[in-house]
């Protein structure tokens, strides 16, 4: 029996399956025209969609690695290659706060779940972040007391509340030091192209900035605006002299769940 989810009066079967081949890392925010991945479904079918339909939310998958890290992926093309086996291509990677997961190689044997109307919101709130919740997964048409019901306990991670990584960092030398500037992003209300600046989306504005030498953190600061003056005195104390390149890690901080994904970059000092 397949698992199901109740929507109104209808019971819809969930479609899930397994990756038969590995999915390599992919680019963000543009179509991946190179990667392919072969998958096998336990039940149901997949079909190709045009780009507009995919961008509207069609052909969405949750890809779940062995460590249970999830990447949300959209795809355009599904070629039937066997009994419930498909070769997928035309990916759009790192959707829905899963950007960091797009940088990994997802191995064969990983799980996929089709994100359609069979997937429902459990109604968890931010107050439950860090708490353990017990979930009963009931096969379609069965009662919760049925022997086939699976009971799962999970900790609520709060990943949906994590800020997105900043973008477009630049470093420019000026009187007194190196001015590092960047642009923040938002999880809410950021799709209007006419906005001068996207909404903050947090109770307060805060960023964690690290200055690094390789993987070694030389300096860590917290600032309240999307810029930071790395003073000449600090630069000399950290490196012994002026630097032509500077490696930074910049993350926006949420009062609810802490630092979000970081922008890691090595910047030329202009």
């Amino acid at each position: 029996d397949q698992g199901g989810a109740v929507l109104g009066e209808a019971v819809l079967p969930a479609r899930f399956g397994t990756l038969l081949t590995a999915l390599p890392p992919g680019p963000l925010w543009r179509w991946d025209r190179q990667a392919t991945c072969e998958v096998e479904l336990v039940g149901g079918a997949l079909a190709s969609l045009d780009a507009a339909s995919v961008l509207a939310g069609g052909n969405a998958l949750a890809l779940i690695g062995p460590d249970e890290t999830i990447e949300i992926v959209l795809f355009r093309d599904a070629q039937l290659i066997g009994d419930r086996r498909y070769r997928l291509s035309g990916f759009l990677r790192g959707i829905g706060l899963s950007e960091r997961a797009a940088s990994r190689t997802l191995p064969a044997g990983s799980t996929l779940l089709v994100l359609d109307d069979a997937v429902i919101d459990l109604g968890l709130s931010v107050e439950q972040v860090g708490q353990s919740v017990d979930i009963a997964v009931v096969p379609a048409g069965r009662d919760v007391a049925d022997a086939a019901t699976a009971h799962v306990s999970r900790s609520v991670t709060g990943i949906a509340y994590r800020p997105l990584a900043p973008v477009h960092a630049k470093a420019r030398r000026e009187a007194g030091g190196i001015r590092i500037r960047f642009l923040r992003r938002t999880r809410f209300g950021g799709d209007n192209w006419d906005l001068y600046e996207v909404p903050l989306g947090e109770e307060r504005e805060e960023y964690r900035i690290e200055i690094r030498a390789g993987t070694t953190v030389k300096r860590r600061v917290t600032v309240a605006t999307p810029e930071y003056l790395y003073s000449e005195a600090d630069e000399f104390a950290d490196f012994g002299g002026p630097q032509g390149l500077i490696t930074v890690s910049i993350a926006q901080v949420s009062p609810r769940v802490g630092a979000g994904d970081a922008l890691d970059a090595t910047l030329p000092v202009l």
Side-chain angles (χ1 to χ4, degrees):
D1 291 318
Q2 297 180 31
V6 177
L7 295 178
E9 299 298 324
V11 177
L12 303 175
R15 291 180 290 165
F16 57 94
T18 304
L19 272 65
L20 300 177
T21 61
L23 180 64
L28 296 175
W29 310 315
R30 63 182 187 275
W31 295 109
D32 184 346
R33 304 183 188 279
Q34 302 297 323
T36 64
C37 182
E38 295 181 8
V39 304
E40 182 175 27
L41 294 185
V42 172
L46 299 174
S48 299
L49 291 176
D50 59 53
S53 298
V54 173
L55 293 174
N59 278 355
L61 303 175
L63 304 181
I64 308 169
D67 62 353
E68 297 190 353
T69 298
I70 300 173
E71 181 188 0
I72 308 301
V73 173
L74 307 180
F75 70 93
R76 289 185 305 184
D77 301 314
Q79 178 186 1
L80 184 64
I81 59 174
D83 183 22
R84 294 182 178 173
R85 296 188 175 195
Y86 297 85
R87 180 176 295 113
L88 306 182
S89 59
F91 295 107
L92 199 57
R93 304 290 300 274
I95 305 300
L97 306 178
S98 66
E99 296 169 6
R100 186 169 292 275
S103 64
R104 65 180 172 172
T105 294
L106 194 66
S110 298
T111 301
L112 71 85
L113 174 67
V114 180
L115 300 179
D116 56 16
D117 289 341
V119 179
I120 63 173
D121 188 346
L122 293 178
L124 302 176
S125 67
V126 66
E127 288 76 17
Q128 293 172 283
V129 171
Q131 299 180 11
S132 179
V133 296
D134 298 322
I135 303 170
V137 184
V138 185
R142 305 284 186 89
D143 183 83
V144 70
D146 192 285
T149 296
H151 296 272
V152 181
S153 293
R154 287 290 186 269
S155 178
V156 181
T157 64
I159 190 172
Y161 296 99
R162 292 176 62 185
L164 298 170
V167 293
H168 303 310
K170 296 180 179 180
R172 184 177 296 274
R173 191 172 295 280
E174 61 179 53
I178 301 172
R179 179 76 61 180
I180 300 169
R181 288 190 171 98
F182 51 91
L183 295 180
R184 64 171 170 80
R185 297 156 68 201
T186 186
R187 295 177 292 115
F188 303 107
D191 291 334
N192 187 337
W193 288 80
D194 293 329
L195 295 176
Y196 175 74
E197 186 177 54
V198 297
L200 177 60
E202 303 292 342
E203 289 87 346
R204 67 174 185 268
E205 191 166 10
E206 182 179 337
Y207 306 94
R208 185 196 66 198
I209 301 176
E210 294 178 348
I211 306 296
R212 296 181 174 181
T215 58
T216 301
V217 177
K218 305 295 286 187
R219 188 167 299 273
R220 180 183 290 116
V221 299
T222 299
V223 298
T225 58
E227 64 176 74
Y228 166 56
L229 180 61
Y230 183 40
S231 72
E232 288 180 350
D234 289 343
E235 183 183 12
F236 185 86
D238 294 340
F239 295 101
Q243 302 295 296
L245 296 171
I246 186 168
T247 299
V248 299
S249 178
I250 307 171
Q252 188 173 0
V253 179
S254 164
R256 296 176 174 181
V257 296
D261 287 341
L263 165 66
D264 298 320
T266 297
L267 309 174
V269 181
L270 304 176

